[in-house]
Amino acid sequence: MQDLKLSKRDEWEAMGFDLNNCPVRSVLDHVGAKWTVLILFELQNGAQRFNALGRALPDISKRMLTQTLRDLERDGMVKRQVFDTKPPSVAYSLTDMGQSLMTPLLGLVGWAEAQMPAVQTARKAYDEQAARL
Amino acid sequence: MQDLKLSKRDEWEAMGFDLNNCPVRSVLDHVGAKWTVLILFELQNGAQRFNALGRALPDISKRMLTQTLRDLERDGMVKRQVFDTKPPSVAYSLTDMGQSLMTPLLGLVGWAEAQMPAVQTARKAYDEQAARL
DNA sequence: GGTATAGGTCTCATATAGAGACCGAATTTG
DNA sequence: CAAATTCGGTCTCTATATGAGACCTATACC
């Protein structure tokens, strides 16, 4: 859908707005990522080590745990500390910024829990409607 | 990472909590989907027709526009109305539930905009650190 | 010597996202 | 009268992201 001459995209660009470098999207990408929110909630209980997190989130693979933590670390939400024990241990904890994300996140989670029954109802109605065709 | 005997997963299951049917995830999946939030914001300006939405969101493909709208419709966030004109026209608008999602969503978006400079800084520091290795 | 723990990386299979061609009916343009 | 455009999609094909799970190095325990 890029066949227009004078588009909203031009408007956006004129405003210096770039979809591929959008602050909102770059946060939402994390929040929407399958494991981010679960990890963040787990870390609210205090610093946790790598394998401890893995145990707390049983369905996560090591690969995704590593990757999600790296992403969060890169964005300054999570702090990674290596301790020179044998074997070495690594602790992850929320930074202040990571903490501050929890507030709006809890708003969203609260909404989700409150609306869930309505969503279930809507889905059922939609699916039954679709099945009749 | 499913090799544990007595796990949090068991705890969760005992509490009737099912990750694969989690209200929070099923909302977050939408919010994180690339186009959902953009479409929702666009619909806040009032009902819009299919191709009008396509024009407002220049980078979206028809396929993803269709799919995202269907998902939102199924969950009761968006209403789809077909008018029997020639050619037929289809209008999409926010339902009350869809409207009510905007509040927590704006909280998150506000946070994202406010924290963006800090995130940029964190990313730059992280990438420079990584480059030195 | 075998086993376990630490914190990962690597490969491969599958699921999802995206680009863009195509559709049928009707209306507009040349 | 023929060609192009508009409506709201669907379909196919490819690129990217996700996920499961084997593997790794080093140390400690039995």
Side-chain angles (χ1 to χ4, degrees):
Chain A
M1 262 170 132
Q2 23 264 69
D3 52 340
L4 32 153
K5 282 81 189 115
L6 188 60
S7 72
K8 199 106 171 187
R9 190 222 303 258
D10 300 320
E11 268 180 54
W12 286 358
E13 277 173 6
M15 291 160 60
F17 179 83
D18 173 11
L19 185 64
N20 293 321
N21 190 20
C22 168
V24 175
R25 276 242 50 79
S26 77
V27 167
L28 258 29
D29 281 345
H30 286 317
V31 171
K34 190 160 182 180
W35 299 106
T36 304
V37 173
L38 254 12
I39 291 178
L40 254 22
F41 271 76
E42 194 60 37
L43 287 181
Q44 259 201 317
N45 305 332
Q48 309 253 357
R49 293 173 51 182
F50 183 86
N51 281 338
L53 278 171
R55 263 173 252 125
L57 278 17
D59 285 331
I60 198 171
S61 66
K62 287 187 167 196
R63 183 180 172 282
M64 288 315 291
L65 183 54
T66 303
Q67 192 177 105
T68 309
L69 284 169
R70 289 281 186 278
D71 286 350
L72 288 170
E73 189 195 355
R74 184 168 106 99
D75 281 9
M77 305 296 159
V78 155
K79 187 169 70 174
R80 177 175 184 271
Q81 287 171 286
V82 182
F83 298 100
D84 197 11
T85 55
K86 312 253 168 136
S89 62
V90 179
Y92 293 91
S93 54
L94 288 183
T95 62
D96 289 347
M97 200 187 345
Q99 251 322 326
S100 78
L101 171 56
M102 298 312 285
T103 305
L105 215 46
L106 282 168
L108 202 59
V109 168
W111 182 92
E113 285 172 344
Q115 300 302 320
M116 197 53 196
V119 171
Q120 300 275 28
T121 305
R123 278 184 191 169
K124 210 171 144 188
Y126 183 95
D127 292 347
E128 280 169 10
Q129 177 70 22
R132 267 199 292 282
L133 304 182
Chain B
M1 259 169 132
Q2 21 264 70
D3 51 340
L4 35 154
K5 283 83 188 113
L6 189 60
S7 70
K8 198 107 173 186
R9 192 223 300 260
D10 299 321
E11 269 181 51
W12 287 357
E13 277 173 7
M15 291 161 61
F17 178 85
D18 173 11
L19 186 66
N20 293 321
N21 190 21
C22 166
V24 174
R25 275 243 50 79
S26 77
V27 167
L28 257 30
D29 281 344
H30 285 318
V31 171
K34 189 161 184 177
W35 299 105
T36 303
V37 174
L38 254 14
I39 290 177
L40 253 23
F41 272 76
E42 194 60 36
L43 287 181
Q44 259 202 317
N45 305 331
Q48 308 252 0
R49 294 175 49 187
F50 183 86
N51 282 338
L53 278 171
R55 262 173 252 125
L57 278 17
D59 284 331
I60 199 173
S61 68
K62 287 187 165 196
R63 184 181 172 283
M64 288 315 291
L65 183 53
T66 302
Q67 193 177 106
T68 308
L69 284 169
R70 290 279 186 281
D71 286 350
L72 288 170
E73 190 197 352
R74 185 167 106 99
D75 280 9
M77 305 296 160
V78 155
K79 186 170 67 175
R80 179 175 182 269
Q81 288 172 284
V82 183
F83 298 100
D84 196 12
T85 55
K86 313 259 164 128
S89 61
V90 179
Y92 293 91
S93 53
L94 289 183
T95 62
D96 289 347
M97 201 189 339
Q99 253 321 324
S100 78
L101 172 56
M102 298 313 285
T103 305
L105 215 46
L106 282 169
L108 201 61
V109 168
W111 182 93
E113 285 172 343
Q115 301 301 322
M116 197 54 197
V119 171
Q120 299 276 27
T121 305
R123 278 185 192 169
K124 211 172 143 186
Y126 182 95
D127 292 346
E128 278 166 12
Q129 177 69 22
R132 267 199 292 283
L133 303 183

